[in-house]
Amino acid sequence: MERSAALLLVLALVNVSCCCLDPPAAYRFTGAVCRLTYPAAVVLNEKTTEVIQAAFQHAKYPSIEGQRSIGFGTVKYGFHNLEIHNLSIGKSEFELKENEGIGISISNVSAVFKGTINYGYGSWLLDLKQSVDFEVESQIDLVINPKLYCGKGKVAADTSDCYLTFHKLKLLLQGDREPGWLKRMFTDIVTFTVKLVVKSQICKEINNVSNILADFIQEQAEQFLSDGDIGVDISVTSSPIIKSDYIESYHKGLVIYNNTKSDLSTSVFNPSQLPENRMLNFWISDGLLDPLMSAAHHDGRLIRNISGTELTDLFQTELSSARPEVLNKWLSSEGTMLKARSVSVPHLWTTTEGTSVRSVAGVELLLDSQDMPALYFETDVTVIVNASYAEKKLILKATAERISITKISTSEGPTETEENLRSYLQEAVEKMGIPKVISYLEPELTALMDEQGLNLFDLINPEVLPQDGYVIVQLDFGFPQHLLVEFLKRTLN
């Protein structure tokens, strides 16, 4: 019992620790990898200033009170309603620091801070209480050195290494109409306080916005990979890796169906498998793709009914085998319907030739005049599929590798022509059935991806490269402006 309890404890600790492991240890639990190269970071950096601007605008500046002894009395003061106006940001530069983090430099940040000073001067000669509005014109440079880490299963950012350099701080008190002694007294107090408050709140807000952005990106990815009861857990398995020419993140890639997750602990991932010649590179394991096929089967998505002119046109395809007369009779009947579905869980695996899918399909030919199917057969099919994406459409090329009619029955019972029917159906599956399935999958999967917003991205020359046990998807892209707009809406609200 003690040994069993100890073993359970060890297993539990392993299960918890596998959420955030060192990269080499995390590889075997990794179902998807994203490598974002330096050119992609250049594109994304074009809009860094807008994110920083959101941080400045979204920051909340607290009221501050204090006092200072001068002469024969004490000045008590309070700063209230500090707001930022006329914000403009010059340019942003960045550097990928290998095994350290990201260096970001924001220069020429101009802003006017407005607020109110409540002050009182008390002595044995004078008791004075006043309120005056003030403005501080500022010119700031900002340096941030974010560190990326694995936090609660997500990529998180630590931007505590944050510095503001003030090149200009000019105080204006109600248009400088107040007495000169007041301005002289408050200049040091106000400028010191503004520096302190702005640095604290801006750096705090940048950290907040950075993590909101990290969560937002992961949420968008999870939404893209979810439909109905099917989803994908893309929690990270390790902290991201930063090299001088790319950033790489590792994700579980576990398929979720009806609140049940797939399992993956034997991934073949190795960093050498990912290229660096494109802006964005994805590595996707068969351990993710195969459970997706299984979930689609269990969710009843691999079913299709064909009738009417669509069915008639389908059987106009010319085959080398003559169509049996009994099949002609069924097809000429009123209300004929063909129903096809997967009757076994499909199995998927990838090689350099393409992605192979094996499944047993059941096909019924139903007539209005009969309660039982006129024809039922099952076929064990293996196809090799190669995918591409062009002009915002998914393109699938399928080649039959193996087709076998494993079961056949008719409403007329065994006939002398059954062998001819079997031979005809085997050719029909290859030359009619498989192309028909592809003709459904291409537009429906394209529509599904469009629903998730893929068509809003400016994807440049995407490529899908099948390998042994995984698929590489690589592409260049233009800045995803729609995501920035959505993010800024969420952040500023």
Side-chain angles (χ1 to χ4, degrees):
M1 281 294 292
E2 290 179 357
R3 290 183 178 180
S4 298
L7 178 60
L8 287 173
L9 177 59
V10 169
L11 290 174
L13 290 173
V14 168
N15 188 49
V16 171
S17 66
C18 75
C19 295
C20 287
L21 300 169
D22 290 334
Y27 293 162
R28 68 190 188 97
F29 299 104
T30 296
V33 181
C34 174
R35 177 175 288 181
L36 186 142
T37 60
Y38 189 88
V42 171
V43 170
L44 296 177
N45 184 61
E46 293 173 5
K47 303 297 182 179
T48 297
T49 54
E50 294 189 38
V51 176
I52 298 299
Q53 194 160 349
F56 270 84
Q57 292 171 334
H58 195 251
K60 305 298 182 184
Y61 303 99
S63 296
I64 292 182
E65 296 182 350
Q67 64 181 36
R68 175 176 291 192
S69 296
I70 58 170
F72 297 100
T74 301
V75 174
K76 295 182 179 181
Y77 57 87
F79 297 93
H80 306 282
N81 306 320
L82 189 63
E83 296 179 349
I84 191 168
H85 296 266
N86 303 332
L87 176 65
S88 67
I89 297 180
K91 64 177 181 178
S92 169
E93 297 178 346
F94 78 97
E95 177 187 3
L96 299 182
K97 299 180 178 180
E98 187 156 341
N99 299 325
E100 290 186 23
I102 306 168
I104 301 175
S105 299
I106 312 291
S107 59
N108 298 324
V109 180
S110 297
V112 175
F113 295 92
K114 295 183 179 182
T116 301
I117 301 174
N118 296 321
Y119 64 93
Y121 177 76
S123 72
W124 64 276
L125 286 174
L126 180 66
D127 187 15
L128 176 67
K129 293 183 179 180
Q130 292 288 339
S131 176
V132 60
D133 292 336
F134 72 90
E135 295 182 5
V136 176
E137 296 177 354
S138 66
Q139 194 83 35
I140 306 169
D141 286 347
L142 173 63
V143 175
I144 319 162
N145 295 300
K147 303 288 192 297
L148 302 181
Y149 66 97
C150 173
K152 296 181 180 180
K154 297 183 178 182
V155 175
D158 175 10
T159 62
S160 57
D161 191 359
C162 171
Y163 301 95
L164 275 71
T165 302
F166 292 83
H167 296 293
K168 173 186 176 183
L169 274 177
K170 182 180 179 182
L171 174 65
L172 301 173
L173 293 172
Q174 285 188 347
D176 277 347
R177 290 193 298 271
E178 291 298 310
W181 70 269
L182 181 63
K183 180 175 180 179
R184 287 193 300 272
M185 180 182 68
F186 278 121
T187 294
D188 290 342
I189 297 175
V190 172
T191 53
F192 175 79
T193 303
V194 167
K195 282 183 180 180
L196 186 67
V197 171
V198 169
K199 179 187 184 305
S200 172
Q201 295 306 116
I202 290 300
C203 288
K204 178 181 177 181
E205 191 59 33
I206 286 173
N207 194 67
N208 180 44
V209 169
S210 298
N211 282 293
I212 291 174
L213 179 59
D215 289 346
F216 175 78
I217 292 171
Q218 183 141 330
E219 286 171 14
Q220 293 295 310
E222 287 175 345
Q223 288 176 18
F224 180 79
L225 296 171
S226 301
D227 184 63
D229 292 328
I230 301 175
V232 179
D233 177 1
I234 56 169
S235 301
V236 293
T237 57
S238 173
S239 296
I241 289 294
I242 298 179
K243 300 294 185 181
S244 60
D245 48 1
Y246 66 81
I247 302 172
E248 188 166 276
S249 60
Y250 310 103
H251 304 266
K252 291 180 180 178
L254 302 179
V255 175
I256 306 168
Y257 178 65
N258 281 344
N259 299 318
T260 300
K261 283 187 183 181
S262 61
D263 179 58
L264 177 62
S265 58
T266 56
S267 173
V268 298
F269 174 71
N270 186 287
S272 63
Q273 297 165 345
L274 265 172
E276 299 176 32
N277 57 324
R278 303 296 298 277
M279 291 170 66
L280 194 57
N281 305 272
F282 295 101
W283 182 98
I284 305 170
S285 170
D286 283 356
L288 188 163
L289 298 174
D290 189 40
L292 270 181
M293 288 290 297
S294 175
H297 166 79
H298 290 299
D299 204 46
R301 301 192 183 206
L302 306 181
I303 299 174
R304 176 63 63 170
N305 296 335
I306 307 174
S307 60
T309 57
E310 184 181 9
L311 180 60
T312 304
D313 293 343
L314 177 63
F315 278 89
Q316 296 302 315
T317 306
E318 291 189 10
L319 304 180
S320 60
S321 304
R323 188 160 66 199
E325 188 58 37
V326 66
L327 187 55
N328 284 330
K329 181 180 72 172
W330 293 329
L331 291 172
S332 62
S333 302
E334 288 291 329
T336 305
M337 175 187 290
L338 186 144
K339 182 176 182 178
R341 71 184 189 280
S342 60
V343 296
S344 69
V345 177
H347 177 45
L348 177 151
W349 68 98
T350 306
T351 67
T352 53
E353 294 183 1
T355 298
S356 296
V357 180
R358 180 180 181 183
S359 179
V360 175
V363 181
E364 294 176 311
L365 191 64
L366 305 168
L367 308 182
D368 272 353
S369 58
Q370 295 184 7
D371 294 331
M372 298 294 292
L375 169 67
Y376 177 78
F377 70 93
E378 291 182 2
T379 176
D380 188 343
V381 180
T382 302
V383 295
I384 300 176
V385 181
N386 283 279
S388 58
Y389 187 82
E391 298 180 353
K392 300 189 182 297
K393 293 181 180 179
L394 179 67
I395 302 165
L396 301 174
K397 302 293 183 185
T399 304
E401 186 177 45
R402 177 178 177 273
I403 300 173
S404 174
I405 306 297
T406 57
K407 182 186 294 186
I408 186 170
S409 62
T410 70
S411 58
E412 301 186 2
T415 66
E416 296 178 359
T417 61
E418 184 174 303
E419 194 55 42
N420 291 337
L421 184 58
R422 182 186 296 271
S423 176
Y424 175 85
L425 291 175
Q426 182 151 331
E427 186 179 0
V429 168
E430 178 183 0
K431 298 181 179 178
M432 294 163 48
I434 294 173
K436 192 64 177 177
V437 169
I438 296 300
S439 74
Y440 288 135
L441 287 176
E442 286 179 332
E444 291 187 3
L445 290 176
T446 297
L448 178 60
M449 291 188 292
D450 288 349
E451 285 179 15
Q452 312 294 41
L454 185 64
N455 58 330
L456 300 177
F457 288 86
D458 178 18
L459 306 183
I460 302 170
N461 191 27
E463 297 177 279
V464 182
L465 307 175
Q467 302 295 321
D468 291 325
Y470 62 94
V471 173
I472 297 291
V473 179
Q474 57 182 24
L475 61 132
D476 298 327
F477 63 89
F479 188 85
Q481 185 68 30
H482 68 287
L483 283 184
L484 178 64
V485 170
E486 181 63 29
F487 167 71
L488 292 177
K489 282 181 183 178
R490 179 185 299 192
T491 305
L492 295 177
N493 288 337

